[in-house]
């Protein structure tokens, strides 16, 4: 494909994408295929001779689309939203064209510098404490990670290095192994599974702190675990607080947990993967109060801020904590400049070496929506969630199972878990809408998450009527 053909095909591709997104509502949100559906539909090996672009595009509709779950359908209410906007799609084309691998400042100065400034812009949108911003000469700063899971792991590894160095400085005879086997990290029992995985990968114990009646981690439960573990000779070093848990969007009590972490010299990492985007609205910013106690903070613009995957924003108060933990400088990666403070080499802030020019997506989205446009988007989703909550309350057969703060409603039929499992099965078999469940304590609960950029009240209302009808059918079948 030469540039002439690229111009032509590129325009066709843009039309294809616009047609797809415009017409997505008419597609069945969840596919009909069975596992293994795709292999028989395509050749067993790559073609020796080139195929044509038309053939490929035709196959997208014939082979790919039947197996796609349409995450951007306004009838998709599963998981959490995955961001999608036209400015971000366009920025991704440019990112692909520049195609730099921005591991160091010198590898592509604009890639590094735009990222630093965008992370400051975003930090200011959230009103993060100054200490997290890079600014002109600050000690903090932001980095784009691929995912919240990576951010948690990076924070845990940095915290691990920090505590090992601190203890070895105090007692030079201590080996890393002797310290590591005593380290213990904490998160609430509502934390995302990626937190537990970070513990496994990082080779440290991770303990779940029982959450309270509102599914929040509180000081008393954390303090109790700490005292018990310290009495056993363990070394508490790391706490993950979640703002907006995946199951029910509950919030750990940062104002209680934060001071304990500071007092006990434990690294506090905040995982606000979903909820973080809402903090740009003044009326939701209080949910972030206590962030000043944290060492690192992370959320995913790729969930709820219209920046397509992948874009996970992570800030640290002391960038030397990250850089100190991961720094290696082989000669082929050295460049002429000294680390002057103005130069950031993001390879020291992350696990991989390579990185894409992801800040372009942020720059395009922030400029084309403006902060006001992004706030309006968040508010609309929250309002739709409250509308759905109101509808659920109107039907006495159902109950709402957790406080609705942002765009997620947890609900269920009053009755057994089996009944609710059957209802969910009917919903997802009908494939008109898509939902996923969660467990809250011993209850099987349905999650209704406002997801698509284009979802309107009419879709929410239709979805609710559909759920009610399936519930009626189910309850009738139960009686017979
Ligand atoms: C979605 C989610 C994650 C995982 O995010 P990734 O970016 O996919 O790793 C982690 N924590 C919470 C609270 C989440 O909601």
């Amino acid at each position: 494909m030469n540039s002439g053909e690229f111009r032509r095909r590129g325009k066709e591709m843009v039309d294809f994408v616009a047609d797809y997104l415009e017409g997505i509502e008419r597609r069945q949100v969840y596919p009909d295929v069975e596992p293994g559906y795709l292999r028989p539909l395509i050749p067993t090996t790559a073609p020796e001779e080139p195929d044509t672009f038309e053939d490929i595009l035709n196959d997208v509709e014939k082979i790919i689309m039947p197996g796609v779950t349409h995450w951007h359908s306004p009838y998709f209410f599963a998981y959490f939203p995955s961001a999608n906007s036209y400015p971000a799609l366009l920025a991704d084309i440019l990112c692909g064209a520049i195609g730099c691998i921005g591991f160091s400042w010198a590898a592509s100065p604009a890639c590094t510098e735009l990222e630093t400034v965008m992370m400051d812009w975003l930090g200011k949108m959230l009103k993060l404490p100054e200490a997290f911003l890079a600014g002109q000469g600050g000690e903090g700063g932001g980095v784009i990670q691929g995912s919240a899971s990576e951010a948690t792991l990076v924070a845990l590894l940095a915290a691990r290095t920090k505590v090992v160095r601190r203890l070895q400085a105090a007692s030079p005879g201590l080996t890393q192994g002797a310290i590591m086997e005593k380290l213990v990290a904490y998160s609430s029992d509502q934390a995302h599974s990626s937190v537990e995985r970070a513990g496994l990968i990082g080779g440290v114990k991770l303990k779940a702190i029982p959450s309270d009646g509102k599914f929040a981690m509180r000081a008393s439960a954390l303090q109790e675990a700490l005292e018990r573990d310290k009495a056993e000779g363990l070394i508490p070093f790391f706490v993950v607080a979640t703002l907006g848990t995946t199951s029910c969007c509950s919030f750990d009590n940062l104002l209680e947990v934060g001071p304990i972490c500071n007092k006990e010299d434990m690294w506090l990492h905040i995982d606000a993967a979903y909820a973080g985007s809402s903090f740009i609205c003044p009326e939701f910013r209080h949910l972030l109060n206590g962030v000043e106690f944290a060492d690192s903070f992370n959320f995913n613009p790729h969930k709820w801020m219209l920046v397509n995957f992948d874009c996970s924003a992570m800030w640290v108060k002391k960038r030397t904590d990250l850089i100190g933990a991961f720094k290696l400088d082989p000669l082929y990666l050295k460049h002429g400049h000294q680390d002057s403070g103005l130069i950031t080499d993001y390879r020291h802030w992350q696990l991989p070496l390579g990185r894409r020019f992801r800040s372009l997506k942020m720059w395009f989205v922030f400029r084309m929506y403006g902060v006001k446009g992004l706030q309006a988007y968040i508010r609309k989703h929250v309002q739709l969630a409250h509308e759905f909550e109101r509808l659920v309350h109107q039907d006495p057969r159902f109950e709402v199972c957790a406080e609705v703060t942002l765009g997620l409603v947890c609900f269920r039929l009053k009755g057994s878990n089996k009944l609710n499992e059957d209802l969910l099965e009917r919903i997802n078999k009908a494939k008109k809408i898509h939902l996923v469940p969660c467990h809250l304590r011993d209850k099987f609960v349905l999650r209704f998450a406002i997801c698509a950029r284009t979802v309107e009240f009419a879709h929410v209302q239709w979805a609710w009527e559909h759920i009610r009808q399936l519930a009626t059918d189910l309850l009738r079948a139960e009686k017979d």
Side-chain angles (χ1 to χ4, degrees):
M1 190 181 284
N2 58 26
S3 63
E5 192 185 355
F6 177 71
R7 285 176 201 280
R8 194 153 56 86
R9 298 307 189 189
K11 283 159 196 151
E12 285 173 28
M13 194 69 213
V14 167
D15 280 337
F16 184 89
V17 168
D19 287 345
Y20 169 67
L21 290 172
E22 255 176 20
I24 199 166
E25 186 165 332
R26 292 189 293 277
R27 294 180 187 257
Q28 180 174 290
V29 60
Y30 193 78
D32 284 324
V33 297
E34 297 294 328
Y37 92 96
L38 187 134
R39 189 179 279 278
L41 300 179
I42 59 175
T44 50
T45 55
E48 288 297 327
E49 302 295 332
D51 279 345
T52 66
F53 188 75
E54 279 94 347
D55 286 343
I56 301 172
L57 213 52
N58 285 336
D59 283 349
V60 169
E61 203 50 75
K62 268 210 321 263
I63 297 167
I64 303 301
M65 285 301 175
V68 169
T69 301
H70 298 289
W71 278 62
H72 303 290
S73 160
Y75 295 110
F76 182 93
F77 302 104
Y79 313 106
F80 272 140
S82 171
N84 191 310
S85 71
Y86 292 118
L89 290 172
L90 291 175
D92 253 349
I93 295 180
L94 181 59
C95 169
I98 294 175
C100 62
I101 306 295
F103 44 75
S104 66
W105 181 86
S108 199
C111 179
T112 294
E113 295 205 9
L114 186 66
E115 182 161 333
T116 307
V117 178
M118 284 307 101
M119 292 300 293
D120 272 5
W121 275 19
L122 185 54
K124 288 177 189 168
M125 283 158 68
L126 301 174
K127 302 218 167 7
L128 281 185
E130 195 76 27
F132 286 102
L133 306 184
Q136 298 289 344
E139 289 181 49
V143 58
I144 304 174
Q145 304 282 1
S147 66
S149 315
E150 253 175 279
T152 303
L153 178 60
V154 163
L156 180 137
L157 296 177
R160 195 185 76 180
T161 303
K162 197 171 180 174
V163 67
V164 166
R165 286 186 187 153
R166 187 175 77 225
L167 296 177
Q168 282 183 326
S171 329
L174 272 180
T175 64
Q176 176 166 348
I179 298 171
M180 285 266 297
E181 65 180 25
K182 294 213 161 89
L183 292 181
V184 54
Y186 305 91
S187 67
S188 109
D189 57 12
Q190 300 296 308
H192 192 265
S193 58
S194 56
V195 178
E196 192 178 342
R197 269 182 99 213
L200 284 175
I201 298 168
V204 297
K205 284 181 251 329
L206 185 109
K207 296 200 176 177
I209 304 297
S211 54
D212 74 0
K214 290 181 132 189
F215 307 103
M217 176 161 59
R218 303 293 301 272
S220 50
L222 176 62
Q223 194 76 52
E224 211 171 285
L226 277 177
E227 298 309 329
R228 199 174 43 234
D229 288 344
K230 284 197 292 186
E232 283 177 21
L234 296 179
I235 307 167
F237 81 110
F238 185 66
V239 174
V240 178
T242 308
L243 299 181
T245 58
T246 314
S247 293
C248 70
C249 201
S250 60
F251 291 78
D252 288 340
N253 193 321
L254 266 191
L255 290 169
E256 286 184 6
V257 166
I260 298 178
C261 295
N262 288 179
K263 184 167 139 266
E264 302 281 342
D265 236 338
M266 297 187 290
W267 182 299
L268 174 60
H269 175 72
I270 298 177
D271 173 7
Y274 163 70
S277 298
S278 73
F279 305 153
I280 63 168
C281 298
E283 68 272 33
F284 300 123
R285 173 58 179 76
H286 69 95
L287 296 167
L288 185 58
N289 288 350
V291 66
E292 57 275 15
F293 298 111
D295 297 278
S296 50
F297 168 75
N298 167 248
F299 85 99
N300 287 346
H302 71 228
K303 275 189 168 155
W304 202 13
M305 207 181 251
L306 296 164
V307 182
N308 287 45
F309 193 83
D310 53 342
C311 180
S312 185
M314 178 190 195
W315 290 264
V316 286
K317 260 193 200 148
K318 278 202 164 49
R319 53 178 178 250
T320 47
D321 286 341
L322 290 190
I323 297 166
F326 306 124
K327 191 161 179 165
L328 271 183
D329 266 325
L331 186 60
Y332 54 85
L333 294 175
K334 280 202 203 306
H335 49 74
H337 308 275
Q338 283 303 309
D339 247 30
S340 67
L342 269 179
I343 294 203
T344 297
D345 289 336
Y346 274 126
R347 70 175 182 278
H348 303 308
W349 298 54
Q350 62 173 19
L351 300 178
L353 174 66
R355 56 204 329 278
R356 298 187 304 125
F357 201 161
R358 289 177 290 210
S359 56
L360 285 171
K361 292 185 288 199
M362 298 167 92
W363 197 43
F364 277 41
V365 168
F366 296 167
R367 294 182 68 185
M368 302 239 14
Y369 280 87
V371 176
K372 284 190 179 154
L374 296 171
Q375 288 170 333
Y377 179 67
I378 297 286
R379 286 178 179 135
K380 180 177 167 191
H381 275 200
V382 177
Q383 190 202 336
L384 288 176
H386 284 300
E387 304 267 16
F388 185 81
E389 179 190 22
R390 187 175 52 77
L391 293 172
V392 176
H393 279 308
Q394 281 171 5
D395 187 328
R397 297 175 300 173
F398 286 89
E399 60 186 344
V400 172
C401 309
E403 191 176 338
V404 178
T405 311
L406 299 174
L408 176 70
V409 183
C410 289
F411 72 106
R412 69 199 298 277
L413 274 170
K414 292 170 186 165
S416 68
N417 283 350
K418 171 74 171 53
L419 187 67
N420 283 284
E421 284 165 27
D422 289 349
L423 175 61
L424 183 69
E425 194 182 326
R426 282 176 186 243
I427 292 169
N428 285 337
K429 268 207 173 132
K431 299 181 184 177
K432 303 282 189 199
I433 61 174
H434 191 47
L435 302 185
V436 294
C438 71
H439 277 107
L440 290 178
R441 310 278 182 244
D442 51 358
K443 279 193 175 160
F444 183 90
V445 168
L446 281 63
R447 291 170 77 266
F448 190 91
I450 304 294
C451 286
R453 179 171 52 80
T454 56
V455 62
E456 297 289 344
F457 180 59
H459 302 110
V460 169
Q461 198 171 28
W462 190 92
W464 176 241
E465 285 310 321
H466 177 61
I467 293 167
R468 284 185 54 187
Q469 185 58 53
L470 293 174
T472 301
D473 297 348
L474 173 64
L475 292 168
R476 191 174 299 140
E478 295 269 305
K479 265 207 207 119
D480 293 345

